Amino acid sequence: MEHHQQNKGNQQEDMATTTTQKKKRKEVAIFGNYRNYYGYRIGQDLEEDPRLKAMKKEWFEGKDCLDIGCNSGVITIAIAQKFNCRSILGIDIDDARIQDAYWTLRKTVKSTRAVPAGVAKSTESKNVTGIENHVAESPKKRASTDCTESHHVQEANLFDIVSFKKENFIQNWHPGENTSYDTIICLSVSKWVQLNWGDAGLITLFSKVWRLLSPGGVFILEPQPWSSYYSNRLVSETARINYKEIKIRPEDFQDILLDKIGFRKVEDITSCASGRKPGFSRPIFAFWK
């Protein structure tokens, strides 16, 4: 009996150790590619990501957009729905997050099929002109005028507007020569760029964004505070080494982007993003090329 209880105790201890190890493995995300990122950033008590409040419709409506570090695609899809962009591509370094993003997209499309027939009819009649105006456009430049009164893209077109790709933006993503975007967003990504590729990686990020933006285009940046770098400096040996070598702090980003990269103006849009959860009240800036 005593031997049986001892074995049972050992089994429970082994199971507890295995569970702890699994939890530890899940917590390690060397690129910030957390599986349930939006789960604890937005949670169940918020209808949408509060950062959307800081973004203006004119930055996205009818525009081609890029989301760098899209994770599971929640905000990428929300932008397409709320602001009626012509196209939006979300890229992430982690293939698992890209698979999650396509799952999120399919789930979103499925949930929008419950739109009342009257709304769909009303939308159809209002969009006849929009359809005619875009007949001659290439498939890549599809219009997003098929949207409801509440600015939500019809489910039939969401698959055409939103796409995702596994890409390493810093090291080896080389879009076509004539590729350009009207708006590029980069939210809570800059820290991971510096921890993995140092200051050189950050400059590559900023320079590449500037080259990809159309004249007059907008770059929306949400940098993490320097204090959070310390918290994540040990996620990998590379991060530990780079952390010690970083010279460009988040408070220096504006000067770098304006004076060295070439952006012509900046607007602090942080105050518009009210309602963010504790630990996620980070500054948000809009830079114009």
Side-chain angles (χ1 to χ4, degrees), residues 44-182:
Q44 301 297 319
D45 52 334
L46 297 173
E47 288 186 5
E48 67 174 18
D49 193 311
R51 292 174 294 182
L52 291 170
K53 297 175 187 174
M55 301 181 192
K56 297 179 182 178
K57 186 178 178 181
E58 58 262 33
W59 298 344
F60 300 96
E61 188 174 31
K63 305 290 178 68
D64 295 312
C65 311
L66 175 67
D67 181 5
I68 301 170
C70 65
N71 197 272
S72 61
V74 171
I75 203 163
T76 319
I77 295 165
I79 286 171
Q81 289 185 296
K82 185 171 184 176
F83 300 121
N84 310 326
C85 49
R86 177 163 53 191
S87 71
I88 185 163
L89 169 64
I91 63 172
D92 199 278
I93 197 169
D94 188 345
D95 184 59
R97 298 294 76 79
I98 293 300
Q99 296 305 315
D100 289 344
Y102 272 114
W103 182 89
T104 306
L105 180 59
R106 288 192 297 271
K107 183 183 175 184
T108 304
V109 167
K110 189 177 179 181
S111 68
T112 57
R113 284 176 179 157
V115 175
V119 174
K121 261 189 189 176
S122 155
T123 306
E124 248 179 49
S125 62
K126 288 183 180 183
N127 287 331
V128 171
T129 308
I131 292 169
E132 287 174 351
N133 287 343
H134 292 278
V135 166
E137 288 189 347
S138 66
K140 185 187 171 190
K141 301 289 184 181
R142 289 188 175 119
S144 64
T145 50
D146 295 324
C147 53
T148 65
E149 292 276 334
S150 61
H151 307 303
H152 282 201
V153 178
Q154 284 185 343
E155 52 89 10
N157 297 317
L158 200 53
F159 281 128
D160 295 331
I161 293 165
V162 182
S163 60
F164 299 101
K165 269 187 180 181
K166 176 192 177 295
E167 296 287 355
N168 183 331
F169 185 83
I170 304 303
Q171 288 193 311
N172 53 29
W173 187 50
H174 304 291
E177 191 177 336
N178 297 319
T179 301
S180 65
Y181 298 94
D182 302 295

Side-chain angles (χ1 to χ4, degrees), residues 153-273:
V153 178
Q154 284 185 343
E155 52 89 10
N157 297 317
L158 200 53
F159 281 128
D160 295 331
I161 293 165
V162 182
S163 60
F164 299 101
K165 269 187 180 181
K166 176 192 177 295
E167 296 287 355
N168 183 331
F169 185 83
I170 304 303
Q171 288 193 311
N172 53 29
W173 187 50
H174 304 291
E177 191 177 336
N178 297 319
T179 301
S180 65
Y181 298 94
D182 302 295
T183 302
I184 297 177
I185 66 172
C186 185
L187 308 177
S188 290
V189 170
S190 52
K191 170 180 72 177
W192 300 107
V193 169
Q194 285 187 285
L195 287 178
N196 282 282
W197 297 286
D199 288 343
L202 183 76
I203 297 301
T204 297
L205 169 69
F206 291 163
S207 301
K208 210 165 182 178
V209 164
W210 192 87
R211 289 197 304 270
L212 284 169
L213 272 177
S214 302
V218 184
F219 175 41
I220 301 168
L221 176 69
E222 179 192 43
Q224 297 101 316
W226 176 247
S227 58
S228 73
Y229 284 61
Y230 180 83
S231 305
N232 295 113
R233 75 194 189 286
L234 300 179
V235 294
S236 69
E237 181 63 13
T238 298
R240 186 187 69 79
I241 294 168
N242 282 332
Y243 174 77
K244 294 179 178 179
E245 301 296 323
I246 290 172
K247 299 290 188 294
I248 304 173
R249 301 286 181 93
E251 57 267 27
D252 302 323
F253 289 1
Q254 282 194 52
D255 290 339
I256 297 287
L257 285 160
L258 294 170
D259 300 335
K260 294 189 177 180
I261 303 301
F263 284 90
R264 56 188 176 86
K265 68 172 182 175
V266 60
E267 180 183 342
D268 187 337
I269 57 176
T270 310
S271 61
C272 302

Side-chain angles (χ1 to χ4, degrees), residues 34-46 49 71-72 74 277 280:
Y34 299 103
R35 183 175 183 181
N36 195 34
Y37 178 71
Y38 287 106
Y40 55 78
R41 173 136 200 175
I42 304 173
Q44 301 297 319
D45 52 334
L46 297 173
D49 193 311
N71 197 272
S72 61
V74 171
K277 288 196 166 187
F280 292 104

